[in-house]
PDB file of all heavy atoms in Angstrom:
ATOM      1  N   ILE A1187      18.231 -32.687  64.292  1.00 96.00           N
ATOM      2  CA  ILE A1187      16.798 -32.508  64.165  1.00 96.00           C
ATOM      3  C   ILE A1187      16.208 -33.584  63.239  1.00 96.00           C
ATOM      4  O   ILE A1187      15.158 -34.217  63.492  1.00 96.00           O
ATOM      5  CB  ILE A1187      16.437 -31.128  63.638  1.00 96.00           C
ATOM      6  CG1 ILE A1187      16.831 -30.052  64.702  1.00 96.00           C
ATOM      7  CG2 ILE A1187      14.883 -30.991  63.235  1.00 96.00           C
ATOM      8  CD1 ILE A1187      16.667 -28.677  64.210  1.00 96.00           C
ATOM      9  N   THR A1188      16.973 -33.806  62.139  1.00 96.00           N
ATOM     10  CA  THR A1188      16.547 -34.889  61.160  1.00 96.00           C
ATOM     11  C   THR A1188      16.538 -36.261  61.795  1.00 96.00           C
ATOM     12  O   THR A1188      15.594 -37.097  61.555  1.00 96.00           O
ATOM     13  CB  THR A1188      17.538 -34.831  59.941  1.00 96.00           C
ATOM     14  OG1 THR A1188      17.483 -33.580  59.288  1.00 96.00           O
ATOM     15  CG2 THR A1188      17.146 -36.012  58.979  1.00 96.00           C
ATOM     16  N   ARG A1189      17.537 -36.544  62.682  1.00 95.00           N
ATOM     17  CA  ARG A1189      17.580 -37.836  63.277  1.00 95.00           C
ATOM     18  C   ARG A1189      16.362 -38.090  64.197  1.00 95.00           C
ATOM     19  O   ARG A1189      15.815 -39.107  64.305  1.00 95.00           O
ATOM     20  CB  ARG A1189      18.898 -38.028  64.070  1.00 95.00           C
ATOM     21  CG  ARG A1189      19.135 -39.362  64.646  1.00 95.00           C
ATOM     22  CD  ARG A1189      20.556 -39.637  65.017  1.00 95.00           C
ATOM     23  NE  ARG A1189      20.939 -38.874  66.129  1.00 95.00           N
ATOM     24  CZ  ARG A1189      21.780 -37.912  66.189  1.00 95.00           C
ATOM     25  NH1 ARG A1189      22.361 -37.469  65.042  1.00 95.00           N
ATOM     26  NH2 ARG A1189      22.133 -37.289  67.276  1.00 95.00           N
ATOM     27  N   PHE A1190      16.067 -37.006  64.944  1.00 96.00           N
ATOM     28  CA  PHE A1190      14.874 -37.080  65.933  1.00 96.00           C
ATOM     29  C   PHE A1190      13.572 -37.237  65.103  1.00 96.00           C
ATOM     30  O   PHE A1190      12.666 -38.048  65.498  1.00 96.00           O
ATOM     31  CB  PHE A1190      14.833 -35.910  66.828  1.00 96.00           C
ATOM     32  CG  PHE A1190      15.629 -36.075  68.068  1.00 96.00           C
ATOM     33  CD1 PHE A1190      16.974 -35.825  68.034  1.00 96.00           C
ATOM     34  CD2 PHE A1190      15.077 -36.552  69.283  1.00 96.00           C
ATOM     35  CE1 PHE A1190      17.769 -36.045  69.188  1.00 96.00           C
ATOM     36  CE2 PHE A1190      15.806 -36.749  70.409  1.00 96.00           C
ATOM     37  CZ  PHE A1190      17.144 -36.475  70.435  1.00 96.00           C
ATOM     38  N   LEU A1191      13.412 -36.405  64.033  1.00 95.00           N
ATOM     39  CA  LEU A1191      12.102 -36.391  63.353  1.00 95.00           C
ATOM     40  C   LEU A1191      12.050 -37.445  62.271  1.00 95.00           C
ATOM     41  O   LEU A1191      10.954 -37.721  61.678  1.00 95.00           O
ATOM     42  CB  LEU A1191      11.871 -35.002  62.704  1.00 95.00           C
ATOM     43  CG  LEU A1191      11.719 -33.801  63.670  1.00 95.00           C
ATOM     44  CD1 LEU A1191      11.619 -32.535  62.979  1.00 95.00           C
ATOM     45  CD2 LEU A1191      10.673 -34.050  64.716  1.00 95.00           C
ATOM     46  N   GLU A1192      13.166 -38.133  62.013  1.00 93.00           N
ATOM     47  CA  GLU A1192      13.163 -39.355  61.147  1.00 93.00           C
ATOM     48  C   GLU A1192      12.660 -39.050  59.660  1.00 93.00           C
ATOM     49  O   GLU A1192      12.074 -39.736  58.997  1.00 93.00           O
ATOM     50  CB  GLU A1192      12.343 -40.454  61.685  1.00 93.00           C
ATOM     51  CG  GLU A1192      12.821 -40.979  63.052  1.00 93.00           C
ATOM     52  CD  GLU A1192      11.959 -42.053  63.566  1.00 93.00           C
ATOM     53  OE1 GLU A1192      10.799 -41.927  63.661  1.00 93.00           O
ATOM     54  OE2 GLU A1192      12.570 -43.113  63.957  1.00 93.00           O
ATOM     55  N   CYS A1193      13.026 -37.770  59.212  1.00 93.00           N
ATOM     56  CA  CYS A1193      12.834 -37.527  57.825  1.00 93.00           C
ATOM     57  C   CYS A1193      13.714 -36.287  57.433  1.00 93.00           C
ATOM     58  O   CYS A1193      14.192 -35.521  58.280  1.00 93.00           O
ATOM     59  CB  CYS A1193      11.333 -37.111  57.571  1.00 93.00           C
ATOM     60  SG  CYS A1193      10.830 -35.633  58.354  1.00 93.00           S
ATOM     61  N   ASP A1194      14.066 -36.198  56.163  1.00 94.00           N
ATOM     62  CA  ASP A1194      14.907 -35.107  55.713  1.00 94.00           C
ATOM     63  C   ASP A1194      14.088 -33.858  55.486  1.00 94.00           C
ATOM     64  O   ASP A1194      12.922 -33.862  55.157  1.00 94.00           O
ATOM     65  CB  ASP A1194      15.605 -35.507  54.395  1.00 94.00           C
ATOM     66  CG  ASP A1194      16.652 -36.610  54.525  1.00 94.00           C
ATOM     67  OD1 ASP A1194      17.329 -36.569  55.489  1.00 94.00           O
ATOM     68  OD2 ASP A1194      16.663 -37.430  53.676  1.00 94.00           O
ATOM     69  N   PRO A1195      14.782 -32.696  55.751  1.00 95.00           N
ATOM     70  CA  PRO A1195      14.000 -31.468  55.517  1.00 95.00           C
ATOM     71  C   PRO A1195      13.914 -31.025  54.130  1.00 95.00           C
ATOM     72  O   PRO A1195      14.751 -31.465  53.236  1.00 95.00           O
ATOM     73  CB  PRO A1195      14.890 -30.455  56.326  1.00 95.00           C
ATOM     74  CG  PRO A1195      16.248 -30.925  56.243  1.00 95.00           C
ATOM     75  CD  PRO A1195      16.171 -32.465  56.197  1.00 95.00           C
ATOM     76  N   VAL A1196      12.958 -30.175  53.765  1.00 94.00           N
ATOM     77  CA  VAL A1196      12.814 -29.559  52.512  1.00 94.00           C
ATOM     78  C   VAL A1196      13.172 -28.027  52.712  1.00 94.00           C
ATOM     79  O   VAL A1196      12.677 -27.455  53.712  1.00 94.00           O
ATOM     80  CB  VAL A1196      11.410 -29.696  51.971  1.00 94.00           C
ATOM     81  CG1 VAL A1196      11.202 -28.842  50.713  1.00 94.00           C
ATOM     82  CG2 VAL A1196      11.101 -31.179  51.623  1.00 94.00           C
ATOM     83  N   ILE A1197      13.905 -27.463  51.762  1.00 93.00           N
ATOM     84  CA  ILE A1197      14.240 -26.052  51.914  1.00 93.00           C
ATOM     85  C   ILE A1197      13.375 -25.211  50.912  1.00 93.00           C
ATOM     86  O   ILE A1197      13.145 -25.487  49.777  1.00 93.00           O
ATOM     87  CB  ILE A1197      15.736 -25.724  51.680  1.00 93.00           C
ATOM     88  CG1 ILE A1197      16.058 -24.279  51.935  1.00 93.00           C
ATOM     89  CG2 ILE A1197      16.138 -26.224  50.222  1.00 93.00           C
ATOM     90  CD1 ILE A1197      17.488 -23.978  51.970  1.00 93.00           C
ATOM     91  N   ILE A1198      12.705 -24.221  51.519  1.00 91.00           N
ATOM     92  CA  ILE A1198      11.887 -23.292  50.672  1.00 91.00           C
ATOM     93  C   ILE A1198      12.309 -21.881  51.102  1.00 91.00           C
ATOM     94  O   ILE A1198      12.408 -21.551  52.278  1.00 91.00           O
ATOM     95  CB  ILE A1198      10.409 -23.493  50.945  1.00 91.00           C
ATOM     96  CG1 ILE A1198       9.961 -24.920  50.612  1.00 91.00           C
ATOM     97  CG2 ILE A1198       9.500 -22.430  50.188  1.00 91.00           C
ATOM     98  CD1 ILE A1198       8.535 -25.337  50.930  1.00 91.00           C
ATOM     99  N   ASP A1199      12.555 -20.988  50.035  1.00 91.00           N
ATOM    100  CA  ASP A1199      12.857 -19.635  50.313  1.00 91.00           C
ATOM    101  C   ASP A1199      11.669 -18.732  50.081  1.00 91.00           C
ATOM    102  O   ASP A1199      11.099 -18.789  49.072  1.00 91.00           O
ATOM    103  CB  ASP A1199      14.078 -19.139  49.427  1.00 91.00           C
ATOM    104  CG  ASP A1199      14.623 -17.920  49.844  1.00 91.00           C
ATOM    105  OD1 ASP A1199      13.895 -17.004  50.406  1.00 91.00           O
ATOM    106  OD2 ASP A1199      15.903 -17.691  49.716  1.00 91.00           O
ATOM    107  N   ALA A1200      11.347 -17.851  51.000  1.00 90.00           N
ATOM    108  CA  ALA A1200      10.218 -16.988  50.945  1.00 90.00           C
ATOM    109  C   ALA A1200      10.296 -16.013  49.738  1.00 90.00           C
ATOM    110  O   ALA A1200       9.306 -15.382  49.258  1.00 90.00           O
ATOM    111  CB  ALA A1200       9.981 -16.141  52.218  1.00 90.00           C
ATOM    112  N   SER A1201      11.523 -15.884  49.186  1.00 90.00           N
ATOM    113  CA  SER A1201      11.749 -14.927  48.028  1.00 90.00           C
ATOM    114  C   SER A1201      10.991 -15.439  46.794  1.00 90.00           C
ATOM    115  O   SER A1201      10.636 -14.637  45.906  1.00 90.00           O
ATOM    116  CB  SER A1201      13.252 -14.818  47.706  1.00 90.00           C
ATOM    117  OG  SER A1201      13.685 -16.080  47.201  1.00 90.00           O
ATOM    118  N   GLN A1202      10.568 -16.741  46.778  1.00 88.00           N
ATOM    119  CA  GLN A1202       9.830 -17.300  45.617  1.00 88.00           C
ATOM    120  C   GLN A1202       8.348 -16.797  45.745  1.00 88.00           C
ATOM    121  O   GLN A1202       7.655 -16.807  44.715  1.00 88.00           O
ATOM    122  CB  GLN A1202       9.838 -18.774  45.634  1.00 88.00           C
ATOM    123  CG  GLN A1202      11.173 -19.343  45.359  1.00 88.00           C
ATOM    124  CD  GLN A1202      11.272 -20.869  45.575  1.00 88.00           C
ATOM    125  OE1 GLN A1202      11.229 -21.364  46.688  1.00 88.00           O
ATOM    126  NE2 GLN A1202      11.322 -21.565  44.466  1.00 88.00           N
ATOM    127  N   LEU A1203       7.927 -16.419  46.921  1.00 87.00           N
ATOM    128  CA  LEU A1203       6.564 -16.100  47.179  1.00 87.00           C
ATOM    129  C   LEU A1203       6.346 -14.669  47.713  1.00 87.00           C
ATOM    130  O   LEU A1203       5.181 -14.223  47.864  1.00 87.00           O
ATOM    131  CB  LEU A1203       5.946 -17.057  48.269  1.00 87.00           C
ATOM    132  CG  LEU A1203       6.143 -18.547  47.920  1.00 87.00           C
ATOM    133  CD1 LEU A1203       5.763 -19.395  49.161  1.00 87.00           C
ATOM    134  CD2 LEU A1203       5.229 -18.954  46.801  1.00 87.00           C
ATOM    135  N   SER A1204       7.446 -13.983  47.916  1.00 90.00           N
ATOM    136  CA  SER A1204       7.296 -12.630  48.523  1.00 90.00           C
ATOM    137  C   SER A1204       8.462 -11.804  48.103  1.00 90.00           C
ATOM    138  O   SER A1204       9.300 -12.166  47.274  1.00 90.00           O
ATOM    139  CB  SER A1204       7.264 -12.707  50.116  1.00 90.00           C
ATOM    140  OG  SER A1204       8.500 -13.162  50.581  1.00 90.00           O
ATOM    141  N   ALA A1205       8.608 -10.635  48.698  1.00 91.00           N
ATOM    142  CA  ALA A1205       9.703  -9.691  48.422  1.00 91.00           C
ATOM    143  C   ALA A1205      10.864  -9.837  49.487  1.00 91.00           C
ATOM    144  O   ALA A1205      11.673  -8.883  49.674  1.00 91.00           O
ATOM    145  CB  ALA A1205       9.208  -8.270  48.365  1.00 91.00           C
ATOM    146  N   GLN A1206      10.913 -10.925  50.213  1.00 91.00           N
ATOM    147  CA  GLN A1206      11.846 -11.135  51.246  1.00 91.00           C
ATOM    148  C   GLN A1206      12.697 -12.434  51.098  1.00 91.00           C
ATOM    149  O   GLN A1206      12.010 -13.500  50.786  1.00 91.00           O
ATOM    150  CB  GLN A1206      11.156 -11.168  52.559  1.00 91.00           C
ATOM    151  CG  GLN A1206      12.065 -11.316  53.816  1.00 91.00           C
ATOM    152  CD  GLN A1206      11.371 -11.440  55.097  1.00 91.00           C
ATOM    153  OE1 GLN A1206      10.436 -12.216  55.266  1.00 91.00           O
ATOM    154  NE2 GLN A1206      11.723 -10.594  56.050  1.00 91.00           N
ATOM    155  N   HIS A1207      14.030 -12.318  51.247  1.00 90.00           N
ATOM    156  CA  HIS A1207      14.777 -13.569  51.322  1.00 90.00           C
ATOM    157  C   HIS A1207      14.662 -14.131  52.664  1.00 90.00           C
ATOM    158  O   HIS A1207      14.954 -13.496  53.653  1.00 90.00           O
ATOM    159  CB  HIS A1207      16.297 -13.164  51.040  1.00 90.00           C
ATOM    160  CG  HIS A1207      16.558 -12.870  49.593  1.00 90.00           C
ATOM    161  ND1 HIS A1207      16.500 -13.775  48.555  1.00 90.00           N
ATOM    162  CD2 HIS A1207      16.867 -11.712  48.965  1.00 90.00           C
ATOM    163  CE1 HIS A1207      16.815 -13.176  47.449  1.00 90.00           C
ATOM    164  NE2 HIS A1207      17.033 -11.938  47.609  1.00 90.00           N
ATOM    165  N   ARG A1208      14.211 -15.380  52.811  1.00 90.00           N
ATOM    166  CA  ARG A1208      14.029 -16.004  54.071  1.00 90.00           C
ATOM    167  C   ARG A1208      13.996 -17.534  53.799  1.00 90.00           C
ATOM    168  O   ARG A1208      12.940 -18.107  53.651  1.00 90.00           O
ATOM    169  CB  ARG A1208      12.841 -15.548  54.834  1.00 90.00           C
ATOM    170  CG  ARG A1208      12.768 -15.951  56.275  1.00 90.00           C
ATOM    171  CD  ARG A1208      11.587 -15.397  56.979  1.00 90.00           C
ATOM    172  NE  ARG A1208      11.378 -15.810  58.325  1.00 90.00           N
ATOM    173  CZ  ARG A1208      11.932 -15.314  59.360  1.00 90.00           C
ATOM    174  NH1 ARG A1208      12.831 -14.289  59.240  1.00 90.00           N
ATOM    175  NH2 ARG A1208      11.737 -15.723  60.548  1.00 90.00           N
ATOM    176  N   ALA A1209      15.119 -18.124  53.696  1.00 92.00           N
ATOM    177  CA  ALA A1209      15.234 -19.564  53.475  1.00 92.00           C
ATOM    178  C   ALA A1209      14.926 -20.312  54.712  1.00 92.00           C
ATOM    179  O   ALA A1209      15.530 -20.078  55.775  1.00 92.00           O
ATOM    180  CB  ALA A1209      16.538 -19.933  52.917  1.00 92.00           C
ATOM    181  N   ARG A1210      14.014 -21.321  54.718  1.00 94.00           N
ATOM    182  CA  ARG A1210      13.644 -22.136  55.902  1.00 94.00           C
ATOM    183  C   ARG A1210      13.660 -23.628  55.545  1.00 94.00           C
ATOM    184  O   ARG A1210      13.404 -23.983  54.443  1.00 94.00           O
ATOM    185  CB  ARG A1210      12.228 -21.675  56.404  1.00 94.00           C
ATOM    186  CG  ARG A1210      12.018 -20.195  56.608  1.00 94.00           C
ATOM    187  CD  ARG A1210      12.881 -19.675  57.687  1.00 94.00           C
ATOM    188  NE  ARG A1210      12.330 -19.932  58.987  1.00 94.00           N
ATOM    189  CZ  ARG A1210      12.901 -19.478  60.111  1.00 94.00           C
ATOM    190  NH1 ARG A1210      13.941 -18.664  60.039  1.00 94.00           N
ATOM    191  NH2 ARG A1210      12.386 -19.775  61.259  1.00 94.00           N
ATOM    192  N   LEU A1211      13.920 -24.360  56.588  1.00 96.00           N
ATOM    193  CA  LEU A1211      13.861 -25.807  56.446  1.00 96.00           C
ATOM    194  C   LEU A1211      12.587 -26.324  57.007  1.00 96.00           C
ATOM    195  O   LEU A1211      12.163 -25.828  58.037  1.00 96.00           O
ATOM    196  CB  LEU A1211      15.027 -26.511  57.253  1.00 96.00           C
ATOM    197  CG  LEU A1211      16.398 -26.169  56.729  1.00 96.00           C
ATOM    198  CD1 LEU A1211      17.493 -26.735  57.729  1.00 96.00           C
ATOM    199  CD2 LEU A1211      16.650 -26.741  55.338  1.00 96.00           C
ATOM    200  N   PHE A1212      11.860 -27.227  56.311  1.00 96.00           N
ATOM    201  CA  PHE A1212      10.638 -27.839  56.715  1.00 96.00           C
ATOM    202  C   PHE A1212      10.819 -29.396  56.827  1.00 96.00           C
ATOM    203  O   PHE A1212      11.133 -30.022  55.886  1.00 96.00           O
ATOM    204  CB  PHE A1212       9.534 -27.473  55.697  1.00 96.00           C
ATOM    205  CG  PHE A1212       9.179 -26.011  55.609  1.00 96.00           C
ATOM    206  CD1 PHE A1212      10.008 -25.119  54.840  1.00 96.00           C
ATOM    207  CD2 PHE A1212       8.199 -25.422  56.314  1.00 96.00           C
ATOM    208  CE1 PHE A1212       9.743 -23.809  54.789  1.00 96.00           C
ATOM    209  CE2 PHE A1212       7.920 -24.120  56.275  1.00 96.00           C
ATOM    210  CZ  PHE A1212       8.676 -23.278  55.420  1.00 96.00           C
ATOM    211  N   TRP A1213      10.427 -29.854  58.028  1.00 96.00           N
ATOM    212  CA  TRP A1213      10.337 -31.300  58.265  1.00 96.00           C
ATOM    213  C   TRP A1213       8.784 -31.622  58.389  1.00 96.00           C
ATOM    214  O   TRP A1213       8.066 -30.815  59.021  1.00 96.00           O
ATOM    215  CB  TRP A1213      11.066 -31.684  59.458  1.00 96.00           C
ATOM    216  CG  TRP A1213      12.587 -31.685  59.502  1.00 96.00           C
ATOM    217  CD1 TRP A1213      13.416 -32.706  59.157  1.00 96.00           C
ATOM    218  CD2 TRP A1213      13.391 -30.498  59.736  1.00 96.00           C
ATOM    219  NE1 TRP A1213      14.722 -32.207  59.330  1.00 96.00           N
ATOM    220  CE2 TRP A1213      14.715 -30.923  59.678  1.00 96.00           C
ATOM    221  CE3 TRP A1213      13.113 -29.149  60.101  1.00 96.00           C
ATOM    222  CZ2 TRP A1213      15.844 -30.074  59.928  1.00 96.00           C
ATOM    223  CZ3 TRP A1213      14.189 -28.301  60.217  1.00 96.00           C
ATOM    224  CH2 TRP A1213      15.512 -28.763  60.202  1.00 96.00           C
ATOM    225  N   GLY A1214       8.338 -32.682  57.926  1.00 95.00           N
ATOM    226  CA  GLY A1214       6.984 -33.043  58.189  1.00 95.00           C
ATOM    227  C   GLY A1214       6.484 -34.281  57.367  1.00 95.00           C
ATOM    228  O   GLY A1214       7.211 -34.846  56.529  1.00 95.00           O
ATOM    229  N   ASN A1215       5.222 -34.664  57.594  1.00 93.00           N
ATOM    230  CA  ASN A1215       4.667 -35.757  56.811  1.00 93.00           C
ATOM    231  C   ASN A1215       3.468 -35.215  55.919  1.00 93.00           C
ATOM    232  O   ASN A1215       2.602 -36.069  55.580  1.00 93.00           O
ATOM    233  CB  ASN A1215       4.197 -36.854  57.780  1.00 93.00           C
ATOM    234  CG  ASN A1215       3.088 -36.426  58.682  1.00 93.00           C
ATOM    235  OD1 ASN A1215       2.760 -35.213  58.793  1.00 93.00           O
ATOM    236  ND2 ASN A1215       2.346 -37.396  59.264  1.00 93.00           N
TER     237      ASN A1215
END
């Protein structure tokens, strides 16, 4: 996915913002 989108992902866990553990990867500009 990183090779196609040409950028590294950022990981953010919803536990920082809510009562749920849900780590996700975000690619974008």
Side-chain angles (χ1 to χ4, degrees):
I1187 295 175
T1188 296
R1189 188 163 69 248
F1190 272 84
L1191 297 181
E1192 300 180 307
C1193 65
D1194 290 318
V1196 172
I1197 185 169
I1198 301 174
D1199 195 326
S1201 64
Q1202 297 172 284
L1203 307 167
S1204 70
Q1206 183 185 48
H1207 287 291
R1208 191 176 177 86
R1210 309 295 282 184
L1211 295 172
F1212 295 84
W1213 290 262
N1215 67 345

